[in-house]
Amino acid sequence: MANSSNMSRNTYIGDISRIVNSLKEDNLDESVIRKRMKKEFAQKTSVGETIALYVLGISFVFIVVFGMHICYATIMWEADIYNFWDRFSPYFSMIIFFALCLVVFVIFVVFMRFFVDYFRYFKALDESFGYNFYLRLFRGLCIFALVFVGVFLMVVLFSSWQISNIYNVRFDITLINVLGEIFD
């Protein structure tokens, strides 16, 4: 294998196919090659880029959590229930949600070159193993969308259950009314 520690990140990404082929000739398993390539790519990233990647991931998790709270609050407001959560205001949740979206945008803008290289790295790595990168990306986005729909339906079910308990109405009627309000 060529000395990839002296290469710049762009040169390294361009040579991934050649490096993987030389590692395949050494009869290494795909998982071992991926681990080695991931370690080499991590050596070519700065500490700031690594921190930005972790902050971005944590921000996405908190965006989902605060988005669930905003969705729940909106459904409860549609049912004319305003005093449902005394400890944490939905308005404060909306401000935090906006701030997190702003943080994600700033991270993307400041570290755009790193994220493009990160994308190119995974594309080159998948193609060197014979996988279709865009198909795998589409599959990942579909799984993400399915998880989003599942989380959204959990929020709808929980809020419908709470509304039915407050108004002493059957759960199925409340659920149908809530879904009707959402799609209205």
Side-chain angles (χ1 to χ4, degrees):
M1 184 174 88
N3 191 1
S4 63
S5 62
N6 296 338
M7 296 182 196
S8 69
R9 188 163 57 199
N10 285 333
T11 308
Y12 173 72
I13 291 171
D15 286 346
I16 282 181
S17 178
R18 185 186 54 76
I19 295 170
V20 167
N21 286 335
S22 69
L23 290 173
K24 283 181 183 177
E25 290 173 0
D26 294 340
N27 294 326
L28 291 176
D29 189 37
E30 181 180 334
S31 62
V32 174
I33 295 172
R34 283 188 181 271
K35 285 179 187 177
R36 184 177 291 179
M37 299 301 285
K38 182 179 179 182
K39 182 180 175 186
E40 288 179 13
F41 185 78
Q43 291 173 351
K44 297 187 183 315
T45 60
S46 69
V47 175
E49 292 168 339
T50 305
I51 291 171
L53 193 61
Y54 285 122
V55 168
L56 189 70
I58 292 169
S59 297
F60 278 136
V61 169
F62 281 116
I63 283 174
V64 168
V65 169
F66 286 112
M68 287 173 50
H69 185 245
I70 292 167
C71 177
Y72 172 75
T74 305
I75 291 172
M76 297 303 277
W77 287 340
E78 285 290 323
D80 292 326
I81 302 171
Y82 299 101
N83 192 12
F84 56 88
W85 200 312
D86 294 336
R87 296 183 201 124
F88 199 74
S89 169
Y91 296 113
F92 189 62
S93 183
M94 289 178 196
I95 292 170
I96 293 173
F97 183 84
F98 174 73
L100 286 171
C101 289
L102 193 63
V103 164
V104 167
F105 177 74
V106 167
I107 287 174
F108 269 129
V109 168
V110 171
F111 293 100
M112 180 62 77
R113 186 72 227 158
F114 169 70
F115 290 114
V116 168
D117 286 346
Y118 199 67
F119 183 82
R120 287 180 47 228
Y121 162 74
F122 279 108
K123 183 179 182 304
L125 191 61
D126 280 350
E127 288 176 353
S128 66
F129 284 112
Y131 299 124
N132 188 342
F133 172 75
Y134 293 109
L135 186 62
R136 292 181 76 174
L137 180 66
F138 179 73
R139 186 179 64 198
L141 291 175
C142 286
I143 291 171
F144 178 74
L146 186 64
V147 168
F148 173 76
V149 168
V151 167
F152 179 72
L153 287 177
M154 286 183 352
V155 169
V156 167
L157 287 173
F158 180 72
S159 59
S160 298
W161 171 74
Q162 194 167 11
I163 291 169
S164 68
N165 282 342
I166 290 173
Y167 285 125
N168 292 325
V169 181
R170 286 188 4 218
F171 174 72
D172 56 344
I173 294 172
T174 306
L175 181 62
I176 291 170
N177 288 337
V178 167
L179 289 173
E181 284 294 324
I182 289 171
F183 294 115
D184 187 19

